[in-house]
Amino acid sequence: MIPDMLVFIFLVISGIILLMYNFSCIILLLMVGLIILSLAGNALIRGFLTCGKCKQRESGCPAEELFREK
């Protein structure tokens, strides 16, 4: 999960720096799209497709403990 977030954070920070120097609506829209796809995409994949059907749940998977519904 950390490498996914590092790539996401690097891209968002780069976009913010680009917007500070030269504002562009296209860059802003691409950043908003990146944020929506990243957050919603990770929630969809980890919530329904991978972690929901994972067999490592019994062995103590740290991702399962993080995303477990309380």
Side-chain angles (χ1 to χ4, degrees):
M1 185 163 113
I2 297 289
D4 294 342
M5 292 303 290
L6 286 177
V7 170
F8 171 72
I9 290 171
F10 176 73
L11 291 174
V12 169
I13 290 173
S14 300
I16 291 171
I17 291 171
L18 282 172
L19 287 174
M20 286 192 315
Y21 285 113
N22 188 12
F23 184 80
S24 171
C25 289
I26 293 175
I27 293 175
L28 181 63
L29 289 174
L30 289 173
M31 282 183 51
V32 169
L34 172 71
I35 291 169
I36 290 171
L37 287 175
S38 178
L39 297 178
N42 280 334
L44 174 72
I45 289 171
R46 289 197 174 107
F48 296 109
L49 301 176
T50 57
C51 292
K53 298 178 174 94
C54 183
K55 303 291 184 200
Q56 287 184 323
R57 193 177 290 180
E58 291 82 24
S59 66
C61 178
E64 193 273 328
E65 293 172 6
L66 179 66
F67 293 111
R68 182 181 339 159
E69 294 178 11
K70 297 177 180 159

